[in-house]
Amino acid sequence: MAKELAKTYDFNETEGRLYQQWWDAGYFEPWNDPNKSDFDPSVKPFVISIPPANVTGRLHLGHAIFVSLEDLMIRYHRMKGEPTLWVPGVDHAGIATQLQVEKKLIDEGTSRIEIGREGFLERVWAWKEEYGDIITQQIRRLGASCDWTRERFTLDEGLSKAVREAFVSLYEKGWIYRGPRMINWSPGLQTAVSDLEVEYSQEQGKLYYFKYLIVGSDEYIPVATTRPETILGDTAVAVHPEDERFINLIGKKAVVPMLGREIPVIADDYVDRSFGTGALKITPAHDPNDYDIGMRHNLKFINVLNKDATINEKGGPYEGMDRFECRKKLWDDMNESGLVISEEPYMMKVPRSERGGEIIEPMVSTQWFVDIHNMAEAALEVVRDGRIEIIPERFKKVYYNWMENIRDWCISRQLWWGHRIPVWYCDDCSGMTVAREDPDQCQHCGSTNLRQDPDVLDTWFSSGLWPFSTLGWPERTPDLDYFYPTSVMETGYDILFFWVARMIMDGLEFTGQMPFHTVYLHGLIRDENGQKMSKTKGNVIDPLEVMDDLGTDALRFTLLVGSTPGNDTNLSVKKVEANRNFANKLWNAGRFIIHNLGQVSAEPQSDPEWTLADSWIWARMKDLLATVNRLFESFQFGEAGRQIHEFFWAEFADWYIEIAKDQIAEGGDRAFYTVQTLARVFDSCLRLLHPFTPYVTEELWGHLKAASQETSDKLAPVDGWEEMLIVAKWPEPMPMEGWEAQAVEDFSLVQEMVRSIRNIRAEYKVEIGHKIACVIAAGEKLNMIQSQRGVLSTLAGIDPDALVIQEETVENSDDQINLVITPVEISLPLAGLVDLEAERERLAKELVEAESQISRLEKLLSSPFAEKAPPEVVAKERERLENYRETAARIREQIK
């Protein structure tokens, strides 16, 4: 006999056990058949490359949403019978990992400088071996059905070879070069950082107004700045060429305050005449916009900062000062010299390091860059012509804007952990050797006195190669031939440019193919009020804690049904609790169905005779299958989940299961075919829900399968049984047969009748167990309504012996309530609903109370109160009076 299900679903016991079973059975690999592992070129695979989590990471909601979405897609395509591959992996996370190990060394009383580069890298690799798989274990907890046999790391041997190949290839084409350009500089980390590692915050600062004196005259140009210390690096003052206030000064010289250096007054259309003073100080070495102006006008680039953000020798008397100390001292000196005009509070966007929160300095620095314009043009074309789709489509405009205004990419970082730049300098001839393999001599003079460039590559350089390097590129491997290009790149909209665009550029450049055909962008996860989560606000939701308390399925379902492509999602623990209740609802429905599978006979005595409820639930199931399949194909996964949830809870559980209890009680064939319908609809629901909630559905499906097989093969689902639900057939839309519309129409009428009678019962506070009398004038629906006598009696709380169903209409009278649900009329005798004398007494008391309040408020509002009290208080009291008057009128009508 089939195992009786426990009263409650134990997710703690279930999740780890099922995950291990899936893994042991090889279901995460592309071929579900253990005897098949060949590459069939006629069968197109579905492939996702996971966005590699940082090796230092701890699971957060950003991981939870992308893992849930990608696992949903993977499970869906696996159930459709496609060879399905989800490639997992982690990123070496240059800065984050280096900082972790440096902190550990400091705690030990040493530093990376003291132990040297080789010793430091040994410590980082040891740290990676000890802690590096924590994040992947946490990702597994979410149910991620990745092929862990293909797990990759951005610093493993194969990916390192890919990075070398990409760098040298671009260098040989003349697209990689070394030179001075504007970058983001982190004084604390002492490295260039990417735009993604800079966070901008609105902060209260100051706008400092001062005079730029004109050489040889008493005139001056008023200028404003938020960073007075950068005055030391000014190399021009810019005005608009048509600004009459300054047009006579164009071409003259101005004097840099406190340094006495002369700089030109130039004209440039970039200057906004209406902003500030209408004039700009130009510091090409310390401001991105000024950098562009400096390039246009061939200005000098004067860097006044050391790597630690102290002032260098170009700062004259301020050399050695911290940048903010210099700001104060310079401004005081300018004030004493009569150069200060004023200062005022000013809200400004301040660039801060995401790692330490320090202020980032725009700085001209000699770094390695990629001239990316040719690659960008190719990447633009494949999106413009539709070969790559971006979902949602509105992000195409963002993509176009970024790509059309792309700048050369700074790829070097002053770190030790990462892909070291494959460039060697010769100490004898100063020649530069760029090579795929470590050279043993200079390619220019043959000297062996070589030293490698100390910098490493930006993490995004290796990440851009991820879709194909993980499959074996630059080698021509079977995996690369079969699984590349991949299918979908799913990630957050915030890295559309930083990562997605680079993958598209790299894929086209190095493989000649697009790396994927679809980009699916999810939004950020915010708190229940739409605020960004942060430790300082105390509103962070830890997914690991939520899974411990409420289960993985509840978290996944909440994230998935709450998301729409490209939009942020508000999350609260209450929402997860509600979906834990949904999992329990599934479990309870499963207990009822599985229990009854063991109670019916093995063989029916006759062909099925479906009731209206049977026909209705099957018609609604077919409609749901069509809807969900359409939504899945259009990537509307959240709406698909909501539709399944609504069907299961509001239709299958609340209506059909309740009706099924009476049908099963009839016994015989009616019980058998009712249980068959229950099992088959429940099977379809579990299949549809499996990509959303893999654990509870797998556990229930296993019990459903066992109970069905033990009873009768005629209870098997339409699509048959597989070993486990993870590889069961996805339910495809079924053809409509013509009877569905009528079944839905008729049962919808029955539902509306039941709801209307329930509403009256609630309004009159009829006790749940109290059966009432009812007369139904069914008209043209007489036969159908007659067939639903039992359903109406059970669900609407009607006494079967006091239920009259007739064709003719019911005459109105004062002692009954009449309802019209076209084309049906319903009459409910009041005597059956309430004790009339007790009801009159209750209403009389309520009327006395209402009239007392009316009298009190009328006196209050005719007193001096109405003139002396604040208008809003008086208005509130008038509103209360009107409400009591309406209540009294309603009670009088009820008494009548």
Side-chain angles (χ1 to χ4, degrees):
M1 186 172 181
K3 179 183 175 183
E4 190 80 13
L5 264 67
K7 286 188 176 181
T8 56
Y9 171 55
D10 185 353
F11 58 83
N12 284 314
E13 185 278 330
T14 303
E15 292 177 3
R17 168 172 53 81
L18 286 178
Y19 194 89
Q20 192 62 46
Q21 286 179 17
W22 292 329
W23 173 244
D24 290 343
Y27 293 143
F28 296 171
E29 296 175 32
W31 294 274
N32 302 325
D33 183 348
N35 299 315
K36 179 182 170 76
S37 60
D38 57 320
F39 297 89
D40 183 350
S42 68
V43 181
K44 188 175 182 180
F46 180 82
V47 185
I48 292 179
S49 298
I50 199 170
N54 283 357
V55 70
T56 58
R58 171 184 165 87
L59 193 77
H60 56 67
L61 286 171
H63 299 118
I65 183 63
F66 86 67
V67 170
S68 298
L69 278 164
E70 291 172 29
D71 191 54
L72 175 145
M73 295 185 217
I74 288 291
R75 288 177 184 270
Y76 166 63
H77 285 275
R78 183 185 290 123
M79 292 176 76
K80 286 176 74 72
E82 301 169 20
T84 304
L85 175 62
W86 190 10
V87 182
V90 291
D91 192 280
H92 63 277
I95 292 176
T97 308
Q98 180 156 322
L99 284 177
Q100 289 274 9
V101 179
E102 285 198 49
K103 287 176 185 175
K104 194 172 182 182
L105 291 174
I106 290 170
D107 291 342
E108 296 172 6
T110 184
S111 70
R112 71 179 171 100
I113 303 300
E114 287 185 25
I115 66 174
R117 186 165 193 146
E118 294 305 315
F120 179 74
L121 290 177
E122 287 176 8
R123 291 296 301 269
V124 181
W125 278 107
W127 183 93
K128 188 263 179 188
E129 291 305 312
E130 186 174 356
Y131 300 105
D133 66 343
I134 291 176
I135 186 64
T136 59
Q137 293 300 325
Q138 293 171 342
I139 286 173
R140 282 173 168 86
R141 277 206 61 187
L142 283 162
S145 54
C146 302
D147 183 354
W148 297 103
T149 66
R150 287 176 164 86
E151 183 178 0
R152 304 306 299 267
F153 177 52
T154 50
L155 276 178
D156 69 27
E157 183 180 352
L159 271 68
S160 296
K161 184 176 182 179
V163 167
R164 284 269 184 107
E165 176 62 34
F167 184 97
V168 176
S169 174
L170 292 176
Y171 180 81
E172 289 173 346
K173 294 184 78 166
W175 292 358
I176 283 184
Y177 65 93
R178 187 170 185 264
R181 290 185 73 91
M182 179 65 64
I183 51 98
N184 301 308
W185 183 260
S186 169
L189 300 172
Q190 296 211 4
T191 180
V193 294
S194 73
D195 291 341
L196 192 63
E197 291 157 332
V198 179
E199 296 178 337
Y200 288 87
S201 60
Q202 289 287 339
E203 299 180 22
Q204 184 68 57
K206 288 182 180 179
L207 200 54
Y208 300 84
Y209 292 87
F210 65 98
K211 302 173 185 177
Y212 244 116
L213 302 180
I214 301 300
V215 174
S217 77
D218 295 332
E219 294 180 278
Y220 68 87
I221 298 176
V223 177
T225 182
T226 57
R227 300 156 65 209
E229 67 277 11
T230 63
I231 293 171
L232 301 173
D234 286 355
T235 57
V237 178
V239 298
H240 194 276
E242 298 174 3
D243 193 332
E244 294 181 357
R245 294 172 295 174
F246 307 120
I247 200 165
N248 64 309
L249 300 178
I250 296 172
K252 294 190 176 182
K253 298 286 187 180
V255 180
V256 175
M258 313 317 299
L259 294 185
R261 180 162 43 81
E262 294 185 3
I263 59 176
V265 178
I266 61 174
D268 195 285
D269 290 331
Y270 173 80
V271 180
D272 182 353
R273 285 175 283 183
S274 63
F275 179 75
T277 66
L280 295 179
K281 58 181 285 298
I282 305 300
T283 321
H286 293 287
D287 182 274
N289 296 317
D290 292 2
Y291 177 89
D292 291 339
I293 294 173
M295 293 295 288
R296 282 198 296 273
H297 293 270
N298 198 27
L299 299 176
K300 288 183 179 179
F301 285 67
I302 301 177
N303 183 352
V304 298
L305 292 176
N306 294 311
K307 290 182 179 180
D308 61 356
T310 57
I311 305 299
N312 65 23
E313 73 282 358
K314 300 290 179 60
Y318 306 97
E319 181 180 0
M321 290 184 182
D322 173 77
R323 52 183 164 166
F324 301 120
E325 178 189 357
C326 171
R327 177 180 298 181
K328 183 178 185 307
K329 175 64 171 147
L330 175 62
W331 193 247
D332 288 344
D333 291 346
M334 288 171 61
N335 196 21
E336 287 182 13
S337 300
L339 297 175
V340 169
I341 299 174
S342 65
E343 55 186 83
E344 63 183 38
Y346 183 70
M347 287 300 295
M348 49 195 285
K349 276 176 62 175
V350 178
R352 291 189 176 273
S353 166
E354 70 165 356
R355 296 294 167 196
E358 62 172 339
I359 293 178
I360 293 295
E361 284 292 339
M363 185 185 295
V364 169
S365 174
T366 298
Q367 303 282 345
W368 285 94
F369 294 88
V370 179
D371 181 345
I372 213 159
H373 293 84
N374 290 320
M375 296 167 70
E377 187 54 45
L380 268 169
E381 190 61 31
V382 294
V383 175
R384 282 198 187 111
D385 64 20
R387 280 180 284 165
I388 291 181
E389 284 296 329
I390 296 178
I391 299 171
E393 191 172 3
R394 70 177 186 272
F395 279 95
K396 286 184 180 179
K397 292 182 180 178
V398 179
Y399 180 84
Y400 296 154
N401 182 57
W402 276 335
M403 300 299 278
E404 288 165 357
N405 297 282
I406 201 164
R407 293 172 176 265
D408 288 1
W409 172 21
C410 175
I411 57 172
S412 49
R413 298 290 181 266
Q414 288 64 58
L415 302 171
W416 286 356
W417 173 247
H419 294 281
R420 195 162 175 181
I421 290 175
V423 174
W424 288 261
Y425 305 101
C426 178
D427 288 335
D428 292 332
C429 74
S430 301
M432 194 165 64
T433 299
V434 180
R436 291 170 174 81
E437 304 289 341
D438 289 7
D440 52 19
Q441 63 180 31
C442 173
Q443 68 181 26
H444 303 286
C445 71
S447 169
T448 58
N449 293 326
L450 298 177
R451 52 188 170 79
Q452 190 173 359
D453 192 299
D455 292 350
V456 299
L457 288 163
D458 179 10
T459 297
W460 295 103
F461 191 92
S462 53
S463 299
L465 311 174
W466 186 252
F468 47 94
S469 63
T470 52
L471 297 173
W473 186 89
E475 301 299 326
R476 188 75 181 268
T477 64
D479 270 13
L480 184 67
D481 283 344
Y482 185 68
F483 294 115
Y484 186 82
T486 66
S487 306
V488 176
M489 172 46 61
E490 191 287 328
T491 191
Y493 65 68
D494 53 330
I495 54 174
L496 173 61
F497 176 69
F498 297 106
W499 188 39
V500 177
R502 285 172 182 157
M503 284 188 286
I504 296 173
M505 289 188 284
D506 286 351
L508 292 169
E509 173 63 25
F510 298 119
T511 73
Q513 295 176 285
M514 302 171 300
F516 30 74
H517 59 67
T518 301
V519 176
Y520 179 101
L521 300 172
H522 66 254
L524 305 177
I525 306 298
R526 299 182 178 275
D527 73 6
E528 60 188 317
N529 301 311
Q531 298 294 310
K532 187 176 181 180
M533 292 188 188
S534 69
K535 291 180 181 178
T536 54
K537 292 179 182 176
N539 62 350
V540 173
I541 296 175
D542 184 338
L544 294 169
E545 292 179 5
V546 172
M547 288 190 287
D548 286 342
D549 296 340
L550 301 171
T552 297
D553 287 328
L555 176 62
R556 280 178 59 128
F557 196 74
T558 305
L559 292 171
L560 290 168
V561 302
S563 68
T564 52
N567 293 329
D568 293 350
T569 300
N570 294 356
L571 181 69
S572 67
V573 174
K574 286 183 179 178
K575 289 182 180 179
V576 186
E577 288 172 348
N579 286 314
R580 184 270 317 272
N581 296 340
F582 177 54
N584 289 339
K585 187 81 169 179
L586 277 172
W587 188 259
N588 290 333
R591 286 187 73 232
F592 170 76
I593 295 166
I594 291 163
H595 169 78
N596 281 287
L597 281 168
Q599 306 302 311
V600 297
S601 59
E603 289 292 331
Q605 300 304 305
S606 60
D607 292 336
E609 227 179 274
W610 282 15
T611 65
L612 176 61
D614 296 336
S615 299
W616 167 76
I617 197 64
W618 198 245
R620 292 292 300 122
M621 183 75 241
K622 290 168 80 170
D623 186 59
L624 178 69
L625 293 180
T627 299
V628 170
N629 275 277
R630 174 178 54 80
L631 291 169
F632 261 71
E633 288 305 305
S634 60
F635 294 88
Q636 297 295 322
F637 306 120
E639 182 57 29
R642 288 187 285 274
Q643 294 275 352
I644 303 166
H645 179 282
E646 180 68 15
F647 170 83
F648 181 84
W649 197 306
E651 298 186 71
F652 184 61
D654 286 358
W655 288 91
Y656 185 71
I657 287 181
E658 293 306 310
I659 293 170
K661 292 174 183 177
D662 283 351
Q663 294 186 179
I664 291 170
E666 292 182 34
D669 283 2
R670 171 67 66 230
F672 182 91
Y673 287 117
T674 298
V675 171
Q676 182 191 66
T677 302
L678 281 167
R680 288 184 172 176
V681 173
F682 191 54
D683 165 78
S684 293
C685 288
L686 293 178
R687 291 176 195 244
L688 293 176
L689 282 168
H690 181 71
F692 296 90
T693 55
Y695 291 117
V696 68
T697 53
E698 184 73 80
E699 184 73 354
L700 283 167
W701 199 79
H703 289 290
L704 181 71
K705 173 186 171 183
S708 298
Q709 289 179 327
E710 189 172 293
T711 302
S712 170
D713 58 6
K714 291 186 178 177
L715 294 172
V718 174
D719 291 321
W721 299 111
E722 295 288 346
E723 284 300 313
M724 296 186 79
L725 177 58
I726 189 175
V727 290
K729 186 178 178 184
W730 176 259
E732 300 290 347
M734 297 181 184
M736 293 296 183
E737 300 173 45
W739 52 264
E740 292 92 351
Q742 190 61 54
V744 170
E745 179 186 314
D746 287 347
F747 194 80
S748 296
L749 177 60
V750 173
Q751 286 179 299
E752 193 55 40
M753 292 167 67
V754 170
R755 289 192 191 100
S756 298
I757 296 171
R758 285 175 173 176
N759 289 341
I760 294 299
R761 290 176 63 99
E763 185 178 337
Y764 283 87
K765 300 180 176 62
V766 179
E767 292 182 3
I768 292 174
H770 179 67
K771 301 292 184 178
I772 63 174
C774 178
V775 179
I776 299 174
E780 65 189 51
K781 293 290 185 179
L782 180 64
N783 292 336
M784 188 274 287
I785 299 298
Q786 285 281 17
S787 72
Q788 298 306 298
R789 172 183 287 272
V791 171
L792 291 165
S793 297
T794 299
L795 297 185
I798 298 171
D799 182 349
D801 297 328
L803 173 60
V804 177
I805 301 174
Q806 61 192 41
E807 186 173 4
E808 63 272 14
T809 59
V810 181
E811 292 186 12
N812 292 337
S813 67
D814 291 339
D815 62 350
Q816 66 189 29
I817 294 173
N818 296 308
L819 304 170
V820 177
I821 300 102
T822 306
V824 173
E825 296 177 15
I826 299 173
S827 174
L828 303 174
L830 275 172
L833 292 171
V834 293
D835 180 332
L836 292 177
E837 198 55 46
E839 184 67 6
R840 286 192 193 96
E841 186 177 331
R842 182 184 69 80
L843 290 171
K845 288 180 181 178
E846 289 184 6
L847 182 60
V848 168
E849 172 61 23
E851 289 176 336
S852 171
Q853 291 293 340
I854 290 169
S855 176
R856 181 185 68 80
L857 289 167
E858 285 177 339
K859 289 177 182 177
L860 178 67
L861 291 168
S862 62
S863 71
F865 165 84
E867 297 177 1
K868 295 180 180 179
E872 62 272 15
V873 175
V874 176
K876 190 173 182 180
E877 294 302 319
R878 290 192 192 282
E879 183 181 352
R880 292 182 65 199
L881 173 60
E882 192 58 35
N883 288 339
Y884 277 117
R885 284 172 174 166
E886 290 176 3
T887 299
R890 177 170 49 78
I891 294 172
R892 291 189 194 99
E893 189 62 30
Q894 286 179 306
I895 292 173
K896 180 181 176 182

